[in-house]
């Protein structure tokens, strides 16, 4: 055995499009950026030597940056030093991988953790001939995206085959929820090659705001959060709002509020609200700063998370950390995080229609005692399962296991 569980490891995180330094809110900046940044920070706090490799997407970026938390971020020269749509980056992964191979030849890491499928292609090139184990986290699977988006899926055509190859070539796949394990099995990845460690949330930031009790004389507040894309199901929430009197719906996401006029999905959602007679009770907030999000969620009676599909879904656990009950579609990671009848309610995906959703919302809003109980239980669940400390512990156990026993199997829960 090379390392005990507590031994310090040289960890390389490969995140080709999602830099831990990126400002959130861009078209390709979101949950993966947060995951990589938080994981790197918490691993470094545990004494591991952590380096993140991400593509250089700006001409003024320095070759390397060291964060206050002692995480080194390397900007890899692969392709143009400018922003490139995520789905077009596969062209530059051989160049990315060759850079890693040159860098690691003299001083290889102990473990490589690749994030997203394209990072996996670069990582596998980088470790060729070195015997360094590669852990793969997909964050989203092409099979799921293709199933739900069909002809609108902009992924490169080779994505599905490459994901299956990576899943069967890397040392271990690190999934974020049980549903992903089933998806991987359907792709031909054996279950004993998969470990499960969820995503996390910072419960010191996402915490019930002071003075959380709201003025009950005003409208009941429903909040939904996410990128302004059709699959997030905001239109379903609007249709349900028409059947929930004395309630308002606030949607946070997309560009800043003063630029929403140029956002096609924002215009579509406004039209849906007008068609259903709820335009006066529907507000698009645009992007909300990270620092203001806990107050927004804490001030809601319910947070709605209604995507058609969701690989993990960070919004429900952020809301639960704020002590706010959640109504979520029974898809992906929601099946793990939201306990129906305990921390909120799970509803069928969008094809169930808006009326059933409205009934669930009305029932919960009419029962303040149940809402309070669900909110408290949600906070407790986050503290027990979804803090970044717990996530980092689970990931570090997988790292140590693949270094100690290459054939190790099992699921970390």
């Amino acid at each position: 055995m090379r390392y005990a569980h507590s031994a310090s490891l040289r960890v390389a995180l490969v995140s080709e499009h999602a830099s831990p330094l990126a400002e959130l809110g861009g078209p390709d900046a979101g949950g993966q950026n947060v995951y990589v940044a938080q994981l790197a920070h918490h691993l470094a706090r545990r004494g591991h030597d952590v380096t993140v490799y991400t593509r250089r997407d700006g001409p003024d970026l320095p070759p390397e940056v060291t964060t206050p938390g002692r995480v080194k971020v390397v900007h890899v020269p692969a392709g143009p030093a400018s922003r490139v749509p995520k789905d077009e980056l596969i062209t530059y992964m051989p160049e990315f991988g060759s850079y890693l191979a040159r860098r690691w030849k003299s001083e290889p890491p102990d473990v490589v953790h690749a994030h997203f499928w394209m990072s996996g292609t670069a990582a596998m090139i980088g470790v060729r001939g070195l015997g360094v184990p590669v852990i793969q986290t997909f964050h989203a699977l092409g099979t799921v995206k293709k199933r739900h988006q069909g002809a609108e899926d902009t992924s490169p055509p080779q994505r599905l085959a490459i994901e299956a190859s990576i899943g069967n070539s890397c040392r271990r796949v690190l999934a974020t929820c049980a549903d992903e394990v089933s998806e991987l099995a359907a792709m031909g990845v054996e279950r004993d090659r998969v470990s499960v460690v969820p995503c996390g949330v910072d419960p010191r930031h996402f915490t019930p705001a002071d003075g959380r009790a709201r003025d009950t004389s005003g409208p009941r507040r429903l909040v939904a959060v996410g990128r302004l894309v059709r699959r997030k199901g905001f239109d379903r929430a609007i249709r349900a709002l028409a059947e929930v009197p004395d309630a308002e719906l606030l949607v946070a996401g997309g560009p800043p509020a003063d630029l929403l006029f140029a956002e096609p999905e924002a215009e579509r959602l406004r039209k849906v609200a007008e068609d259903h007679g709820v335009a006066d009770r529907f507000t698009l907030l645009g992007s909300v700063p990270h620092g203001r999000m806990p107050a927004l969620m804490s001030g809601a009676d319910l947070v709605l998370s209604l995507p058609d599909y969701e690989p993990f879904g960070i919004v429900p656990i952020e809301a639960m950390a704020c002590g706010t009950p959640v109504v979520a579609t029974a898809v992906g990671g929601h099946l793990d995080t939201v306990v129906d009848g305990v921390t909120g309610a799970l509803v069928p995906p969008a094809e169930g229609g808006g009326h059933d959703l409205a009934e669930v919302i009305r029932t919960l809003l009419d029962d303040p005692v149940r809402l309070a109980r669900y909110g408290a239980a949600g906070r407790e669940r986050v503290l027990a399962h979804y803090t970044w400390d717990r996530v980092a512990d689970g990931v570090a156990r997988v790292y140590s296991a693949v270094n100690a026993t290459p054939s190790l199997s099992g699921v970390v829960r």
Side-chain angles (χ1 to χ4, degrees):
M1 183 172 75
R2 293 175 62 194
Y3 297 98
H5 169 65
S6 59
S8 174
L9 297 173
R10 295 186 302 276
V11 178
L13 304 182
V14 181
S15 182
E16 97 296 356
H17 76 273
S19 169
L21 305 178
E23 183 176 351
L24 300 184
D28 292 327
Q32 184 176 324
N33 303 73
V34 174
Y35 183 101
V36 172
Q38 291 284 354
L39 178 62
H41 174 72
H42 283 80
L43 289 172
R45 282 181 52 190
R46 284 157 175 74
H48 299 293
D49 181 358
V50 182
T51 302
V52 181
Y53 296 88
T54 192
R55 199 184 73 84
R56 183 171 182 253
D57 62 1
D60 299 326
L61 291 175
E64 297 183 4
V65 176
T66 300
T67 72
R70 294 178 290 108
V71 173
K72 182 185 294 183
V73 179
V74 175
H75 294 118
V76 176
S82 60
R83 296 194 180 278
V84 175
K86 180 173 61 178
D87 289 329
E88 299 176 14
L89 289 174
I90 188 62
T91 302
Y92 308 114
M93 289 306 101
E95 185 180 357
F96 197 122
S98 295
Y99 175 92
L100 297 178
R102 293 192 299 271
R103 180 136 182 161
W104 294 343
K105 183 177 181 180
S106 59
E107 189 176 1
D110 295 311
V111 64
V112 175
H113 188 173
H115 297 270
F116 201 58
W117 68 280
M118 283 187 277
S119 295
T121 66
M124 298 303 286
I125 295 171
V127 302
R128 193 172 293 158
L130 297 179
V132 175
V134 173
I135 308 295
Q136 175 69 42
T137 295
F138 286 106
H139 291 280
L141 289 170
T143 53
V144 179
K145 188 177 181 184
K146 175 67 71 175
R147 184 187 313 140
H148 288 275
Q149 294 192 3
E152 296 181 2
D153 181 10
T154 57
S155 299
Q158 65 269 46
R159 176 175 178 174
L160 272 61
I162 292 176
E163 285 183 336
S165 176
I166 292 171
N168 286 299
S169 302
C170 68
R171 187 70 59 83
R172 182 68 57 84
V173 178
L174 204 161
T176 57
C177 64
D179 184 67
E180 187 179 350
V181 179
S182 299
E183 292 287 349
L184 288 163
M187 291 165 51
V189 180
E190 296 179 1
R191 290 176 183 263
D192 63 2
R193 295 177 55 81
V194 183
S195 298
V196 178
V197 180
C199 297
V201 68
D202 181 356
R204 293 166 299 182
H205 179 71
F206 286 94
T207 188
D210 293 336
R212 186 178 185 281
R214 298 185 65 248
D215 180 5
T216 56
S217 64
R220 309 303 294 274
R221 178 166 293 177
L222 310 175
V223 168
V225 179
R227 290 185 296 126
L228 291 187
V229 292
R230 191 179 290 259
R231 76 171 181 87
K232 291 295 185 179
F234 298 131
D235 51 353
R236 187 182 179 194
I238 294 169
R239 293 194 299 272
L241 184 66
E243 305 293 332
V244 184
D246 302 321
E248 62 179 354
L249 172 63
L250 279 58
V251 172
D258 59 350
L259 298 179
L260 283 171
F261 69 91
E263 176 62 49
E265 181 65 5
E267 290 303 307
R268 188 183 76 87
L269 293 174
R270 287 195 185 100
K271 181 66 164 54
V272 173
E274 291 173 1
D275 291 346
H276 286 79
V278 295
D280 60 330
R281 296 190 284 131
F282 168 63
T283 304
L284 282 168
L285 300 174
S287 60
V288 172
H290 186 67
R292 287 177 47 203
M293 196 61 73
L296 177 66
M297 289 183 165
S298 292
D301 294 288
L302 286 171
V303 167
L304 310 181
S305 184
L306 305 171
D308 297 334
Y309 70 96
E310 193 67 72
F312 179 78
I314 202 72
V315 170
I317 59 173
E318 289 177 344
M320 288 158 56
C322 292
T324 302
V326 178
V327 176
T329 42
V331 297
H334 292 176
L335 295 166
D336 288 1
T337 57
V338 181
V339 182
D340 190 48
V342 177
T343 68
L346 290 171
V347 296
E351 57 265 23
H355 182 74
D356 294 338
L357 172 63
E359 183 177 357
V360 170
I361 293 171
R362 288 196 306 268
T363 299
L364 289 174
L365 292 180
D366 289 342
D367 193 343
V369 174
R370 185 192 300 187
L371 284 179
R373 185 171 69 247
Y374 283 5
R379 174 77 180 173
E380 291 176 4
R381 182 164 176 77
V382 166
L383 294 176
H385 299 285
Y386 299 110
T387 66
W388 284 114
D389 279 327
R390 290 187 175 275
V391 172
D393 284 344
V395 172
R397 284 197 295 272
V398 174
Y399 291 172
S400 295
V402 298
N403 273 274
T405 312
S407 62
L408 186 77
S409 63
V411 175
V412 177
R413 294 193 185 277

